[in-house]
Amino acid sequence: MKKVIVLATSALTLAACAPAGSDTQQPTAGKKEISFLVFETPNLTPQYWDEAIKRVTDKHPDIVVKKLVAPSAGERNAYAKQLLASGQLPDVMQAIAPSGLAEGGNLYAWSEEELRNYDYPHSNPLGGKIYQLPYNSQPTPLVYYNKKLFAEAGITAPPKTYAELVDDAAKLKAKGTNPFVVGGGGKDAFAAGYLWMALVGADVYAKQPDFLVKRRKGEVRFSDPLFVRATQKFADLVAKGYVDKAGLSRDYPSTEKAFLDGKGAMYPMGSWFAAVKAPFDVGVFAWPTDSGETVVPSYTGGGPIVNAHSKNLEAARTFALEFNQNAANNDVLVKSDAAIIAIKGYRPPQMGPVYNATLEVLKSGKAVNAFTVETGDDSLLPGVGDKVFALAQEIIAGKADGAAAARALDQEWVKAGGQ
């Protein structure tokens, strides 16, 4: 039987009928067509997605895939909600948070049998059900650093405590080196949030791992002292000149390039950065706590979610499961995006020292949730994550301190329907 795959290469925009950027060719008789929403990054290129899709359709030639591309990685969750609102929810969506979609009965809940091959089959439940395949663990963020710039500033080892981190930042600045590279420009506002995410993990979740569960019940507030202190540390780093404000004009790819070009010593980023080839030696450490305890914000999920009302639901489920469990797909994902695959029996290909160091950091510390990345009952209310990133931009710009940002976040929480 001839193998067929329908691919689209342009970014998707909303339209009154079929989404722009998708191929409207009709599948051959007897074949099942599904749409697949993906997103592109410097690591996850159009070629990556096309080849990964083809590996699945080669095994299941009765499935035809219409690839759809979100406008940006940071906008993919909001974009999926736009498609739902316009009656165009795709059949399968990769790494889209189910919160805000599943509650209305729009997503397929995976069965225990379908989840049996996963290391952490019950990650991120919503109402006791699993809507997203939990196939990839991602520490978010760790701190990747330029060993050459550290050495030039007289820093011989990564910091173990927050006080040591601040001291190292002062040494780097005194040498004329920007301590922290951040982003947040254009459509990639999320790139402004990693310092805040790191601080919430180290200072809030380490003490109250169920903080967002309590926030949903109205038992805690963002304006409580614990959260404000963590946020004020972010503002203090900015006030001391340790954060490169030029990052607010950089999109995500440009932010990564700035670090690779040596425009800063430390780069708080998710574990996927470990796949990048740098022109200098890169080290990695977990964001330090005051006490020196190692805390690693991490998230296991990232797999497909499936439209419960898909016209070809069986094909959509089959495609999603095979896309995640295909060994060749996972090998490529490890090499291209430094994925830490959470599937039983999977053995990753040989990787470089930065990936191996990332694994060691993950294993060395206390695992907590990754702020803004949660997708289950302990996640932010729908839409609030985008407000976090906007507030992070305000902090980097010097327009908000910890208390003001926390109060604003409480206000956004209430607007989103929370207590």
Side-chain angles (χ1 to χ4, degrees), residues 155 164-174 177 179-180 242 266:
I155 304 169
E164 290 178 5
L165 176 69
V166 174
D167 183 58
D168 288 347
K171 291 176 181 177
L172 289 161
K173 185 174 172 59
T177 298
F180 291 102
Y242 298 159
M266 290 181 279

Side-chain angles (χ1 to χ4, degrees), residues 250-295:
R250 291 192 290 249
D251 61 11
Y252 171 55
S254 298
T255 306
E256 181 178 283
K257 185 176 186 300
F259 178 65
L260 295 175
D261 287 346
K263 293 182 179 179
M266 290 181 279
Y267 184 41
M269 185 48 58
S271 57
W272 51 88
F273 179 76
V276 176
K277 294 181 180 179
F280 49 79
D281 285 341
V282 174
V284 59
F285 59 89
W287 186 272
T289 60
D290 291 331
S291 66
E293 177 189 22
T294 301
V295 174

Side-chain angles (χ1 to χ4, degrees), residues 215-253:
R215 186 66 192 89
R216 281 177 172 252
K217 296 177 181 178
E219 296 175 356
V220 297
R221 298 283 185 274
F222 295 113
S223 52
D224 288 351
L226 181 65
F227 194 91
V228 170
R229 281 195 297 269
T231 306
Q232 186 58 43
K233 284 184 176 180
F234 182 12
D236 288 344
L237 291 172
V238 172
K240 291 177 180 179
Y242 298 159
V243 180
D244 181 14
K245 293 187 179 183
L248 291 177
S249 65
R250 291 192 290 249
D251 61 11
Y252 171 55

